Amino acid sequence: MDRTLNQEGLNTKQKVLAFTLTLLTFVMGTSEFVIVGLLTEVSLDLNISLATAGTLVSGFAIAYAIGTPVLTAFVSHFPKYPLMLTLISIFIIGNIISALSATYELLILSRILTAVVSGVLVALSMSIAGDIMPKNKKGSIIALIFAGFTISNVIGVPIGTLIGQLGNWQLTFWFTTLLGIISLIMAILILPKKMKVEKGSLKDQLVLLTNPRMLLAFFIPTFSIAGTYTIYTYITPILEQGLDIPTSYVSMILLAYGAFSILSNILAGKIASRNGISKLRYVFIVQAIILGSLYFTMNSTVAGLMSLMLMAIMIYAMNATVQLYLMNLATIYAPAAKDFASSLTPVAVNVGIALGATIGGYVVASGNLIHLSWVGGLCALIASGLAFASYRLDRKDALISTKTSNAS
């Protein structure tokens, strides 16, 4: 990562700040996603069903999606330095409560608290990067900060899962607490003490979500991610019960899954390079085929693992395109809310995580794990349909604009 930053010509303070913000998203990503590898242990220890344990994933995502825009607008008038330190401290407290939880009710409440704080921290991190970094470097640094979530799936989640399996799931949250403390120390030392404060109007920002074109675009990543998380939420029981893989190998497979997801970020850049929304129409069809393939490969350990790794390659393929597309639509329909639009992709992703985990919970509760595959594939096909609709509207608007220009 340091090599990448050096190539971009940033000064030392900016490099360290970029590293600190990326570390923060890595820690938050680990705290959010590590529960996926521990659902079996949590359900057994708290004496709850696997489907109920799955709500620890969907509950986090719902709280993230609802709480982030509202709380971000509410705290926007506070100085960023003490605000960031306060929120990181609350994040640490939330993980401590998770580690001490002896009941499902307390655990879900701690997850909700952590989720809301995480969402605001991500929004503030992007805002700080936008304020501090040179204009021509903002995009690449923001992309690097987003990569913290991918890195958390490669490193943080497998380590956290292994800790939970060797010890207990509570020990994993002590691990995320330690990561939070490290982030707090880094933030105290590195974050600029004086940063620009902008008072944001909640009404002016949220009005963007009443635009039909924005809503259509918003739900494209929602259903794509829902397709993946219908399956991924229950990847541990799929590996153990469906593919007959010993528990001791689960963390290694999650590490491999995270490594394959890095390829997804590379794919995302290529898709977004030119007319990405047009390409996404067919990318989601490929995703649907891959997700549906698990229905036929779950009887084979090797073939089933191939389906899961291909699923990892597709998970973030739409991120860059959707991020640019939402910001472009905001420029057209609500220029004052362009910054707010840039925060909608992670919100849409978490709505998708919640939707996928919830749908997956119903499937697991009422049927067999194998049915998660075609249900996930159906969600991806819905994303494809939405991308087709958005692309058609774009073409129509471009045609009208051309006719208007010719007429004038």
Side-chain angles (χ1 to χ4, degrees):
M1 183 171 66
D2 185 61
R3 180 182 175 185
T4 301
L5 294 176
N6 271 319
Q7 290 173 343
E8 294 179 340
L10 300 175
N11 62 44
T12 302
K13 288 184 178 180
Q14 290 167 339
K15 294 175 192 175
V16 177
L17 176 61
F19 175 82
T20 301
L21 296 177
T22 304
L23 173 65
L24 187 58
T25 54
F26 165 79
V27 173
M28 290 185 291
T30 301
S31 179
E32 175 176 2
F33 300 125
V34 74
I35 193 70
V36 170
L38 300 170
L39 287 186
T40 301
E41 286 80 3
V42 172
S43 65
L44 291 173
D45 186 52
L46 298 184
N47 195 27
I48 57 177
S49 69
L50 195 59
T52 300
T55 62
L56 295 169
V57 178
S58 59
F60 187 105
I62 291 171
Y64 188 112
I66 295 175
T68 296
V70 176
L71 188 58
T72 300
F74 178 74
V75 301
S76 62
H77 62 282
F78 292 107
K80 289 180 181 178
Y81 180 77
L83 177 60
M84 287 285 288
L85 300 186
T86 300
L87 292 173
I88 296 173
S89 298
I90 296 174
F91 172 85
I92 293 170
I93 293 171
N95 279 274
I96 291 174
I97 296 173
S98 294
L100 296 174
S101 295
T103 64
Y104 165 78
E105 290 77 15
L106 184 58
L107 182 56
I108 189 69
L109 285 175
S110 69
R111 295 284 291 167
I112 290 172
L113 174 64
T114 307
V116 174
V117 172
S118 295
V120 181
L121 282 170
V122 171
L124 289 174
S125 295
M126 299 302 167
S127 175
I128 291 170
D131 290 342
I132 302 299
M133 299 300 168
K135 186 176 181 180
N136 63 329
K137 311 298 182 185
K138 290 179 183 178
S140 57
I141 296 301
I142 288 175
L144 180 65
I145 295 170
F146 266 125
F149 289 105
T150 305
I151 299 170
S152 73
N153 277 303
V154 179
I155 301 175
V157 171
I159 292 176
T161 300
L162 182 62
I163 290 172
Q165 291 175 343
L166 294 178
N168 54 59
W169 64 266
Q170 290 94 340
L171 194 60
T172 297
F173 283 106
W174 286 117
F175 167 65
T176 57
T177 298
L178 176 61
L179 292 179
I181 293 171
I182 294 172
S183 296
L184 179 62
I185 295 171
M186 289 285 290
I188 292 172
L189 298 174
I190 304 302
L191 288 181
K193 303 296 188 297
K194 296 181 180 180
M195 290 178 278
K196 183 173 60 176
V197 177
E198 295 180 358
K199 293 185 178 181
S201 167
L202 179 60
K203 182 179 179 181
D204 289 343
Q205 293 175 14
L206 295 183
V207 73
L208 190 63
L209 295 180
T210 64
N211 184 285
R213 292 295 303 279
M214 288 298 300
L215 286 175
L216 183 62
F218 178 86
F219 283 108
I220 292 174
T222 296
F223 277 97
S224 174
I225 289 294
T228 297
Y229 269 80
T230 297
I231 297 172
Y232 183 69
T233 301
Y234 298 94
I235 192 169
T236 299
I238 286 173
L239 292 172
E240 295 175 345
Q241 301 172 28
L243 302 182
D244 294 324
I245 292 174
T247 300
S248 58
Y249 289 100
V250 170
S251 60
M252 293 175 57
I253 293 171
L254 290 178
L255 176 62
Y257 183 95
F260 273 89
S261 71
I262 293 177
L263 299 177
S264 187
N265 287 292
I266 298 173
L267 179 62
K270 295 184 179 298
I271 293 171
S273 61
R274 185 178 178 184
N275 201 8
I277 197 68
S278 173
K279 298 173 185 175
L280 285 187
R281 298 177 296 168
Y282 305 104
V283 169
F284 294 138
I285 292 176
V286 174
Q287 181 192 17
I289 293 172
I290 291 172
L291 295 176
S293 71
L294 191 61
Y295 185 89
F296 304 98
T297 61
M298 197 178 288
N299 292 325
S300 168
T301 300
V302 175
L305 287 175
M306 288 179 62
S307 291
L308 292 175
M309 296 307 126
L310 289 173
M311 183 177 83
I313 293 176
M314 300 303 296
I315 185 172
Y316 301 125
M318 49 78 192
N319 272 8
T321 295
V322 169
Q323 181 78 3
L324 294 171
Y325 189 59
L326 286 170
M327 294 181 69
N328 182 57
L329 287 176
T331 301
I332 297 171
Y333 297 108
K338 186 177 179 180
D339 290 340
F340 177 69
S342 68
S343 71
L344 290 180
T345 300
V347 173
V349 165
N350 276 276
V351 171
I353 292 173
L355 179 62
T358 301
I359 293 173
Y362 281 115
V363 173
V364 170
S366 60
N368 192 292
L369 286 171
I370 197 170
H371 295 302
L372 293 170
S373 56
W374 66 264
V375 174
L378 181 60
C379 289
L381 286 178
I382 293 174
S384 177
L386 294 175
F388 267 98
S390 288
Y391 179 70
R392 181 173 297 181
L393 289 172
D394 289 342
R395 291 284 297 263
K396 183 179 179 180
D397 289 347
L399 183 61
I400 293 174
S401 177
T402 301
K403 288 181 178 179
T404 302
S405 298
N406 291 336
S408 60

